[in-house]
Amino acid sequence: MKPIIEPHIHMISRTTDEYQAMRAHGIRVCVEPSFWLGANRRYAGSFFDYFRLSLEFECVRAARFGVDHWSAIGMNPKEAENRSLADEVIDGMGEYLDHPRCVALGEIGFNNITKNEEHALVRQLRLAEERKMPVVLHLPHFNKLKGIRRVLEIIKGEGLTCERIDIDHNVEETIALALESGCYAGMTVYPYSKLSPERVSAMIREHGHERVLVNGSADWGISDPLSLIKVVERLRADGFDETVIAAITHDTPMHFYSISPHWKPDFDIVPQDPATFQRQP
């Protein structure tokens, strides 16, 4: 089996043991989109420090355990209601988007589908279009159908390149719209909320696997960094061919992030001896 790429996972919120488990189960590369940390940030500098943490430290931490970590940089819609702060952050994002460990802009999108969220979304979509960057776009947790319809209106109205956009967090009622648009379609697997491996399998059976990205996200809540592994097990149990599984876990995320000139994944990082790096200052 080809090495697995986890295309959307929030490892800043996870433990080193989980990096070891991911490596042991074949996950060699991951991409971490920016997200909400549990409390709204009050200053632009707080966002910039967070971007640096993801771009310059998390990749080092992951590599110690044999996982190549990349970042997507963006302002999550959950914090976009403060328009003046959002504008200040977006105005200062350029140097982080240009960082060699940044391979996409995201995750951005809708939370409550408000005007302020849309303002931040459109500004960031334009930034990505100017830079010809991949985009990780977040559908709202609720009112997903309304959310994706508005997202697609914006993409069309702005004349954006669909092939560079991953519309993530799809469910049964949105997946066809995402795929028909020409965008990539993401599915997120959680133990209780979002999708189960069984639902993912059924959706792939119905809609096919082309331009489909499956991820575990795995943030601060009840989630599982090995969700993608459980999807693989479900797909095999349901009789999917190994070429389909390889496309979902390696080929499609590889193709999507290859849009970025920064994307140079290393599948052969050797984990360090824990006794060695524990002694580092």
Side-chain angles (χ1 to χ4, degrees), residues 81-223:
E81 279 305 311
N82 184 336
R83 185 178 287 209
S84 62
L85 176 60
D87 281 336
E88 186 178 357
V89 172
I90 294 166
D91 286 344
M93 276 171 46
E95 66 178 281
Y96 306 100
L97 295 174
D98 294 337
H99 192 283
R101 297 298 299 186
C102 178
V103 293
L105 193 152
E107 62 187 298
I108 60 175
F110 282 127
N111 181 43
N112 294 316
I113 319 178
T114 67
K115 290 183 178 180
N116 285 337
E117 289 174 9
E118 183 166 319
H119 172 77
L121 169 61
V122 169
R123 283 205 63 197
Q124 291 179 94
L125 285 171
R126 289 172 179 168
L127 271 181
E129 187 72 13
E130 290 168 7
R131 285 176 159 78
K132 299 182 179 180
M133 294 183 70
V135 174
V136 180
L137 202 154
H138 172 100
L139 288 182
H141 297 294
F142 305 100
N143 298 320
K144 284 184 180 288
L145 197 55
K146 178 182 177 182
I148 193 170
R149 285 172 174 162
R150 185 59 192 140
V151 161
L152 294 177
E153 289 172 354
I154 292 168
I155 290 172
K156 182 178 179 180
E158 292 287 327
L160 304 177
T161 306
C162 293
E163 294 81 2
R164 291 200 290 262
I165 300 174
D166 167 30
I167 300 176
D168 207 351
H169 307 319
N170 282 281
V171 292
E172 289 84 351
E173 65 179 350
T174 65
I175 186 72
L177 289 172
L179 290 171
E180 288 166 5
S181 73
C183 295
Y184 284 74
M187 303 183 196
T188 301
V189 182
Y190 270 39
Y192 300 106
S193 61
K194 299 188 174 70
L195 299 176
S196 65
E198 291 76 15
R199 289 172 68 188
V200 168
S201 179
M203 290 166 70
I204 292 172
R205 178 82 66 190
E206 180 177 356
H207 299 282
H209 68 277
E210 292 187 13
R211 285 184 286 111
V212 166
L213 295 163
V214 181
N215 67 81
S217 188
D219 56 22
W220 302 98
I222 298 175
S223 50

Side-chain angles (χ1 to χ4, degrees), residues 234-266:
R234 183 71 260 167
L235 293 176
R236 285 189 176 133
D238 289 344
F240 281 90
D241 189 85
E242 288 297 320
T243 59
V244 174
I245 294 171
I248 292 167
T249 60
H250 177 93
D251 300 346
T252 301
M254 187 74 178
H255 186 266
F256 176 68
Y257 285 114
S258 290
I259 296 167
S260 168
H262 295 160
W263 177 247
K264 299 177 180 65
D266 185 350

